[in-house]
Short mmCIF file of all heavy atoms in Angstrom, two decimals:
data_model
loop_
_atom_site.label_atom_id
_atom_site.label_comp_id
_atom_site.label_asym_id
_atom_site.label_seq_id
_atom_site.Cartn_x
_atom_site.Cartn_y
_atom_site.Cartn_z
N PRO A 262 4.57 27.37 4.69
CA PRO A 262 4.65 27.02 6.10
C PRO A 262 5.52 25.78 6.34
O PRO A 262 5.40 24.77 5.62
CB PRO A 262 3.20 26.77 6.51
CG PRO A 262 2.35 27.58 5.56
CD PRO A 262 3.14 27.54 4.26
N ARG A 263 6.37 25.84 7.35
CA ARG A 263 7.29 24.76 7.59
C ARG A 263 6.57 23.46 7.94
O ARG A 263 7.03 22.36 7.63
CB ARG A 263 8.23 25.11 8.74
CG ARG A 263 9.33 24.11 9.02
CD ARG A 263 10.40 24.60 9.96
NE ARG A 263 11.42 23.57 10.23
CZ ARG A 263 12.41 23.29 9.37
NH1 ARG A 263 12.49 23.94 8.23
NH2 ARG A 263 13.24 22.32 9.68
N LEU A 264 5.38 23.54 8.54
CA LEU A 264 4.64 22.37 8.89
C LEU A 264 4.23 21.57 7.64
O LEU A 264 4.15 20.34 7.71
CB LEU A 264 3.35 22.79 9.63
CG LEU A 264 2.40 21.63 10.08
CD1 LEU A 264 3.10 20.77 11.07
CD2 LEU A 264 1.13 22.17 10.66
N ILE A 265 4.07 22.32 6.53
CA ILE A 265 3.67 21.64 5.27
C ILE A 265 4.86 21.24 4.47
O ILE A 265 5.00 20.18 3.94
CB ILE A 265 2.71 22.53 4.48
CG1 ILE A 265 1.44 22.80 5.29
CG2 ILE A 265 2.36 21.90 3.15
CD1 ILE A 265 0.50 23.76 4.62
N CYS A 266 5.78 22.23 4.26
CA CYS A 266 6.89 22.01 3.29
C CYS A 266 8.23 21.80 3.95
O CYS A 266 9.25 21.66 3.27
CB CYS A 266 6.99 23.30 2.38
SG CYS A 266 5.50 23.71 1.49
N GLY A 267 8.24 21.65 5.28
CA GLY A 267 9.50 21.52 5.99
C GLY A 267 10.14 20.10 5.89
O GLY A 267 11.32 19.95 6.06
N VAL A 268 9.32 19.12 5.60
CA VAL A 268 9.81 17.78 5.54
C VAL A 268 10.45 17.51 4.12
O VAL A 268 9.84 17.89 3.09
CB VAL A 268 8.73 16.71 5.79
CG1 VAL A 268 9.21 15.30 5.64
CG2 VAL A 268 8.06 16.95 7.13
N HIS A 269 11.62 16.97 4.07
CA HIS A 269 12.26 16.70 2.75
C HIS A 269 11.37 15.88 1.90
O HIS A 269 10.67 14.90 2.39
CB HIS A 269 13.59 16.00 2.99
CG HIS A 269 14.45 15.92 1.77
ND1 HIS A 269 14.28 14.98 0.77
CD2 HIS A 269 15.51 16.70 1.36
CE1 HIS A 269 15.18 15.15 -0.20
NE2 HIS A 269 15.95 16.18 0.17
N TYR A 270 11.32 16.12 0.63
CA TYR A 270 10.34 15.44 -0.25
C TYR A 270 10.50 13.94 -0.29
O TYR A 270 9.59 13.18 -0.53
CB TYR A 270 10.36 16.03 -1.64
CG TYR A 270 11.66 15.99 -2.41
CD1 TYR A 270 12.02 14.84 -3.09
CD2 TYR A 270 12.52 17.08 -2.44
CE1 TYR A 270 13.21 14.78 -3.84
CE2 TYR A 270 13.71 17.01 -3.15
CZ TYR A 270 14.05 15.90 -3.84
OH TYR A 270 15.24 15.85 -4.53
N LEU A 271 11.75 13.42 -0.13
CA LEU A 271 11.98 12.00 -0.11
C LEU A 271 11.49 11.37 1.16
O LEU A 271 10.99 10.23 1.18
CB LEU A 271 13.41 11.67 -0.37
CG LEU A 271 13.95 11.97 -1.79
CD1 LEU A 271 15.44 11.65 -1.95
CD2 LEU A 271 13.16 11.16 -2.83
N TYR A 272 11.65 12.06 2.33
CA TYR A 272 11.05 11.60 3.54
C TYR A 272 9.52 11.56 3.37
O TYR A 272 8.83 10.66 3.82
CB TYR A 272 11.42 12.50 4.71
CG TYR A 272 12.81 12.21 5.32
CD1 TYR A 272 13.71 13.24 5.55
CD2 TYR A 272 13.14 10.91 5.70
CE1 TYR A 272 14.96 12.98 6.09
CE2 TYR A 272 14.38 10.62 6.23
CZ TYR A 272 15.31 11.66 6.44
OH TYR A 272 16.52 11.42 7.01
N PHE A 273 9.01 12.62 2.77
CA PHE A 273 7.55 12.71 2.59
C PHE A 273 7.05 11.52 1.75
O PHE A 273 5.98 10.98 1.98
CB PHE A 273 7.16 14.01 1.89
CG PHE A 273 5.73 14.19 1.68
CD1 PHE A 273 4.89 14.64 2.70
CD2 PHE A 273 5.12 13.86 0.47
CE1 PHE A 273 3.49 14.77 2.52
CE2 PHE A 273 3.77 14.02 0.27
CZ PHE A 273 2.97 14.50 1.30
N ALA A 274 7.89 11.11 0.74
CA ALA A 274 7.47 9.96 -0.11
C ALA A 274 7.30 8.68 0.75
O ALA A 274 6.33 7.91 0.55
CB ALA A 274 8.50 9.74 -1.20
N PHE A 275 8.20 8.48 1.67
CA PHE A 275 8.14 7.27 2.49
C PHE A 275 6.89 7.40 3.46
O PHE A 275 6.18 6.37 3.66
CB PHE A 275 9.38 7.13 3.34
CG PHE A 275 9.37 5.99 4.27
CD1 PHE A 275 9.45 4.67 3.80
CD2 PHE A 275 9.27 6.15 5.65
CE1 PHE A 275 9.38 3.57 4.65
CE2 PHE A 275 9.28 5.06 6.53
CZ PHE A 275 9.31 3.78 6.05
N ILE A 276 6.66 8.52 4.04
CA ILE A 276 5.51 8.72 4.90
C ILE A 276 4.19 8.50 4.07
O ILE A 276 3.27 7.83 4.57
CB ILE A 276 5.51 10.16 5.52
CG1 ILE A 276 6.72 10.31 6.40
CG2 ILE A 276 4.19 10.43 6.27
CD1 ILE A 276 6.95 11.74 6.92
N LEU A 277 4.14 9.04 2.87
CA LEU A 277 2.95 8.92 2.08
C LEU A 277 2.74 7.44 1.73
O LEU A 277 1.57 6.96 1.67
CB LEU A 277 3.09 9.78 0.80
CG LEU A 277 1.93 9.78 -0.20
CD1 LEU A 277 0.66 10.18 0.50
CD2 LEU A 277 2.26 10.69 -1.38
N PHE A 278 3.79 6.72 1.40
CA PHE A 278 3.68 5.28 1.08
C PHE A 278 3.09 4.52 2.27
O PHE A 278 2.13 3.70 2.07
CB PHE A 278 5.06 4.71 0.79
CG PHE A 278 5.07 3.29 0.48
CD1 PHE A 278 4.93 2.80 -0.82
CD2 PHE A 278 5.38 2.37 1.49
CE1 PHE A 278 5.02 1.44 -1.09
CE2 PHE A 278 5.50 1.00 1.23
CZ PHE A 278 5.26 0.54 -0.09
N CYS A 279 3.56 4.78 3.46
CA CYS A 279 3.05 4.09 4.66
C CYS A 279 1.60 4.45 4.91
O CYS A 279 0.80 3.60 5.26
CB CYS A 279 3.89 4.42 5.89
SG CYS A 279 5.63 3.82 5.72
N LEU A 280 1.23 5.73 4.81
CA LEU A 280 -0.16 6.14 4.99
C LEU A 280 -1.11 5.49 4.01
O LEU A 280 -2.20 5.06 4.38
CB LEU A 280 -0.25 7.67 4.93
CG LEU A 280 0.42 8.43 6.08
CD1 LEU A 280 0.36 9.95 5.83
CD2 LEU A 280 -0.24 8.10 7.43
N THR A 281 -0.68 5.43 2.74
CA THR A 281 -1.52 4.80 1.75
C THR A 281 -1.71 3.31 2.03
O THR A 281 -2.83 2.83 1.92
CB THR A 281 -0.87 4.96 0.38
OG1 THR A 281 -0.72 6.31 0.05
CG2 THR A 281 -1.71 4.28 -0.72
N ALA A 282 -0.68 2.62 2.41
CA ALA A 282 -0.74 1.22 2.73
C ALA A 282 -1.67 1.01 3.93
O ALA A 282 -2.47 0.08 4.02
CB ALA A 282 0.59 0.62 3.00
N THR A 283 -1.58 1.92 4.92
CA THR A 283 -2.46 1.78 6.13
C THR A 283 -3.92 2.01 5.75
O THR A 283 -4.76 1.25 6.23
CB THR A 283 -2.01 2.85 7.14
OG1 THR A 283 -0.64 2.65 7.52
CG2 THR A 283 -2.89 2.78 8.40
N ILE A 284 -4.22 2.97 4.91
CA ILE A 284 -5.60 3.24 4.51
C ILE A 284 -6.10 2.05 3.72
O ILE A 284 -7.20 1.54 3.94
CB ILE A 284 -5.69 4.52 3.64
CG1 ILE A 284 -5.34 5.74 4.51
CG2 ILE A 284 -7.08 4.62 3.04
CD1 ILE A 284 -5.24 6.99 3.63
N ALA A 285 -5.32 1.50 2.81
CA ALA A 285 -5.75 0.42 1.99
C ALA A 285 -6.04 -0.83 2.85
O ALA A 285 -7.07 -1.54 2.67
CB ALA A 285 -4.74 0.05 0.92
N MET A 286 -5.16 -1.12 3.76
CA MET A 286 -5.33 -2.32 4.64
C MET A 286 -6.56 -2.08 5.58
O MET A 286 -7.32 -3.02 5.80
CB MET A 286 -4.07 -2.53 5.44
CG MET A 286 -2.97 -3.17 4.62
SD MET A 286 -3.39 -4.77 3.85
CE MET A 286 -3.92 -5.71 5.28
N GLY A 287 -6.65 -0.89 6.14
CA GLY A 287 -7.81 -0.66 7.04
C GLY A 287 -9.13 -0.76 6.34
O GLY A 287 -10.01 -1.42 6.92
N VAL A 288 -9.28 -0.20 5.21
CA VAL A 288 -10.55 -0.26 4.52
C VAL A 288 -10.80 -1.72 4.06
O VAL A 288 -11.98 -2.19 4.15
CB VAL A 288 -10.57 0.68 3.27
CG1 VAL A 288 -11.86 0.46 2.43
CG2 VAL A 288 -10.47 2.14 3.73
N SER A 289 -9.79 -2.43 3.61
CA SER A 289 -9.99 -3.80 3.20
C SER A 289 -10.43 -4.71 4.35
O SER A 289 -11.29 -5.56 4.15
CB SER A 289 -8.66 -4.38 2.59
OG SER A 289 -8.31 -3.64 1.46
N LEU A 290 -9.83 -4.50 5.54
CA LEU A 290 -10.23 -5.29 6.68
C LEU A 290 -11.64 -4.99 7.18
O LEU A 290 -12.25 -5.87 7.82
CB LEU A 290 -9.20 -5.12 7.80
CG LEU A 290 -7.82 -5.63 7.53
CD1 LEU A 290 -6.83 -5.25 8.64
CD2 LEU A 290 -7.83 -7.18 7.38
N CYS A 291 -12.16 -3.80 6.84
CA CYS A 291 -13.47 -3.42 7.28
C CYS A 291 -14.56 -3.75 6.22
O CYS A 291 -15.73 -3.50 6.47
CB CYS A 291 -13.53 -1.94 7.57
SG CYS A 291 -12.54 -1.42 8.99
N THR A 292 -14.16 -4.29 5.10
CA THR A 292 -15.05 -4.66 4.05
C THR A 292 -14.88 -6.09 3.69
O THR A 292 -13.94 -6.78 4.12
CB THR A 292 -14.89 -3.79 2.83
OG1 THR A 292 -13.50 -3.80 2.44
CG2 THR A 292 -15.30 -2.34 3.11
N SER A 293 -15.79 -6.62 2.87
CA SER A 293 -15.72 -8.02 2.50
C SER A 293 -14.51 -8.35 1.62
O SER A 293 -14.16 -7.56 0.75
CB SER A 293 -17.00 -8.41 1.74
OG SER A 293 -18.18 -8.15 2.50
N PRO A 294 -13.87 -9.50 1.85
CA PRO A 294 -12.74 -9.86 0.95
C PRO A 294 -13.22 -10.24 -0.44
O PRO A 294 -14.36 -10.55 -0.68
CB PRO A 294 -12.14 -11.07 1.72
CG PRO A 294 -13.30 -11.67 2.45
CD PRO A 294 -14.15 -10.52 2.88
N ILE A 295 -12.27 -10.22 -1.33
CA ILE A 295 -12.56 -10.71 -2.70
C ILE A 295 -12.83 -12.21 -2.67
O ILE A 295 -12.10 -12.95 -1.98
CB ILE A 295 -11.35 -10.39 -3.64
CG1 ILE A 295 -11.09 -8.89 -3.69
CG2 ILE A 295 -11.56 -10.92 -5.03
CD1 ILE A 295 -9.87 -8.53 -4.48
N PRO A 296 -13.87 -12.67 -3.36
CA PRO A 296 -14.13 -14.10 -3.42
C PRO A 296 -12.84 -14.88 -3.78
O PRO A 296 -12.13 -14.48 -4.68
CB PRO A 296 -15.26 -14.23 -4.43
CG PRO A 296 -15.96 -12.91 -4.40
CD PRO A 296 -14.87 -11.89 -4.09
N GLU A 297 -12.72 -16.01 -3.17
CA GLU A 297 -11.52 -16.82 -3.39
C GLU A 297 -11.30 -17.16 -4.90
O GLU A 297 -10.14 -17.18 -5.35
CB GLU A 297 -11.58 -18.06 -2.58
CG GLU A 297 -10.25 -18.89 -2.54
CD GLU A 297 -9.12 -18.16 -1.82
OE1 GLU A 297 -9.44 -17.35 -0.95
OE2 GLU A 297 -7.95 -18.43 -2.17
N LYS A 298 -12.36 -17.36 -5.61
CA LYS A 298 -12.19 -17.79 -7.00
C LYS A 298 -11.70 -16.69 -7.84
O LYS A 298 -11.21 -16.92 -8.97
CB LYS A 298 -13.53 -18.27 -7.53
CG LYS A 298 -14.61 -17.19 -7.62
CD LYS A 298 -15.91 -17.72 -8.23
CE LYS A 298 -16.96 -16.67 -8.36
NZ LYS A 298 -18.21 -17.14 -9.00
N HIS A 299 -11.77 -15.42 -7.36
CA HIS A 299 -11.33 -14.28 -8.14
C HIS A 299 -9.96 -13.76 -7.71
O HIS A 299 -9.40 -12.88 -8.36
CB HIS A 299 -12.32 -13.14 -8.05
CG HIS A 299 -13.56 -13.36 -8.82
ND1 HIS A 299 -13.60 -13.83 -10.07
CD2 HIS A 299 -14.84 -13.19 -8.45
CE1 HIS A 299 -14.81 -13.96 -10.50
NE2 HIS A 299 -15.64 -13.58 -9.51
N VAL A 300 -9.49 -14.22 -6.54
CA VAL A 300 -8.22 -13.69 -6.01
C VAL A 300 -7.08 -14.15 -6.99
O VAL A 300 -6.98 -15.32 -7.35
CB VAL A 300 -7.93 -14.24 -4.62
CG1 VAL A 300 -6.53 -13.76 -4.16
CG2 VAL A 300 -8.99 -13.66 -3.66
N SER A 301 -6.21 -13.23 -7.32
CA SER A 301 -5.08 -13.52 -8.22
C SER A 301 -4.14 -14.56 -7.64
O SER A 301 -3.97 -14.59 -6.42
CB SER A 301 -4.36 -12.27 -8.58
OG SER A 301 -3.77 -11.71 -7.43
N ARG A 302 -3.59 -15.38 -8.50
CA ARG A 302 -2.59 -16.38 -8.04
C ARG A 302 -1.27 -16.06 -8.71
O ARG A 302 -0.53 -16.96 -9.10
CB ARG A 302 -3.06 -17.79 -8.48
CG ARG A 302 -4.44 -18.17 -7.99
CD ARG A 302 -4.62 -19.70 -8.06
NE ARG A 302 -4.19 -20.24 -9.31
CZ ARG A 302 -4.98 -20.47 -10.35
NH1 ARG A 302 -6.24 -20.12 -10.31
NH2 ARG A 302 -4.49 -20.96 -11.47
N GLU A 303 -0.96 -14.73 -8.81
CA GLU A 303 0.27 -14.40 -9.53
C GLU A 303 1.54 -15.03 -8.95
O GLU A 303 2.31 -15.68 -9.63
CB GLU A 303 0.49 -12.86 -9.53
CG GLU A 303 -0.63 -12.07 -10.07
CD GLU A 303 -1.46 -11.50 -8.94
OE1 GLU A 303 -1.67 -12.17 -7.93
OE2 GLU A 303 -1.84 -10.31 -9.10
N GLU A 304 1.68 -14.88 -7.62
CA GLU A 304 2.96 -15.34 -7.02
C GLU A 304 3.16 -16.82 -7.23
O GLU A 304 4.16 -17.31 -7.72
CB GLU A 304 2.95 -15.05 -5.51
CG GLU A 304 2.82 -13.52 -5.22
CD GLU A 304 1.36 -13.12 -5.01
OE1 GLU A 304 0.49 -13.87 -5.50
OE2 GLU A 304 1.16 -12.09 -4.37
N ALA A 305 2.10 -17.63 -6.86
CA ALA A 305 2.20 -19.08 -7.02
C ALA A 305 2.36 -19.45 -8.52
O ALA A 305 3.09 -20.34 -8.89
CB ALA A 305 0.99 -19.76 -6.44
N SER A 306 1.71 -18.67 -9.39
CA SER A 306 1.69 -18.97 -10.77
C SER A 306 3.07 -18.83 -11.40
O SER A 306 3.57 -19.75 -12.06
CB SER A 306 0.68 -18.15 -11.53
OG SER A 306 0.68 -18.47 -12.85
N TYR A 307 3.76 -17.71 -11.19
CA TYR A 307 5.01 -17.55 -11.86
C TYR A 307 6.15 -18.27 -11.15
O TYR A 307 7.17 -18.57 -11.76
CB TYR A 307 5.33 -16.05 -12.00
CG TYR A 307 5.98 -15.30 -10.89
CD1 TYR A 307 7.31 -15.47 -10.59
CD2 TYR A 307 5.24 -14.50 -10.04
CE1 TYR A 307 7.89 -14.78 -9.56
CE2 TYR A 307 5.82 -13.83 -8.99
CZ TYR A 307 7.12 -13.99 -8.75
OH TYR A 307 7.75 -13.31 -7.69
N ARG A 308 5.96 -18.57 -9.86
CA ARG A 308 7.03 -19.33 -9.17
C ARG A 308 6.94 -20.88 -9.51
O ARG A 308 7.94 -21.57 -9.60
CB ARG A 308 6.97 -19.12 -7.68
CG ARG A 308 7.41 -17.73 -7.32
CD ARG A 308 7.66 -17.62 -5.81
NE ARG A 308 8.16 -16.32 -5.44
CZ ARG A 308 7.39 -15.38 -4.95
NH1 ARG A 308 6.08 -15.54 -4.77
NH2 ARG A 308 7.85 -14.22 -4.63
N LYS A 309 5.69 -21.34 -9.71
CA LYS A 309 5.49 -22.78 -9.86
C LYS A 309 5.17 -23.15 -11.32
O LYS A 309 4.93 -24.31 -11.63
CB LYS A 309 4.35 -23.29 -8.97
CG LYS A 309 4.69 -23.04 -7.49
CD LYS A 309 3.46 -23.53 -6.64
CE LYS A 309 3.72 -23.24 -5.15
NZ LYS A 309 2.57 -23.62 -4.35
#
């Protein structure tokens, strides 16, 4: 069916990426954050 397979697979990859990010952010905002002492400091660590 065109509704399922009509979208080019590379367009579908971008749509799937956005939907996954939306689900992850939505569930995270509706649940408790990771305690500050456990949150990774990767960015600050490798830059500083």
Side-chain angles (χ1 to χ4, degrees):
R263 184 169 179 80
L264 180 63
I265 299 175
C266 303
V268 179
H269 192 278
Y270 60 83
L271 290 178
Y272 278 131
F273 181 83
F275 179 70
I276 296 171
L277 181 56
F278 178 88
C279 294
L280 291 175
T281 300
T283 301
I284 294 172
M286 286 300 304
V288 174
S289 297
L290 293 174
C291 294
T292 53
S293 301
I295 298 175
E297 189 66 27
K298 66 178 181 178
H299 289 312
V300 175
S301 62
R302 304 197 315 266
E303 304 102 319
E304 300 92 338
S306 181
Y307 83 80
R308 288 194 177 98
K309 299 178 183 179

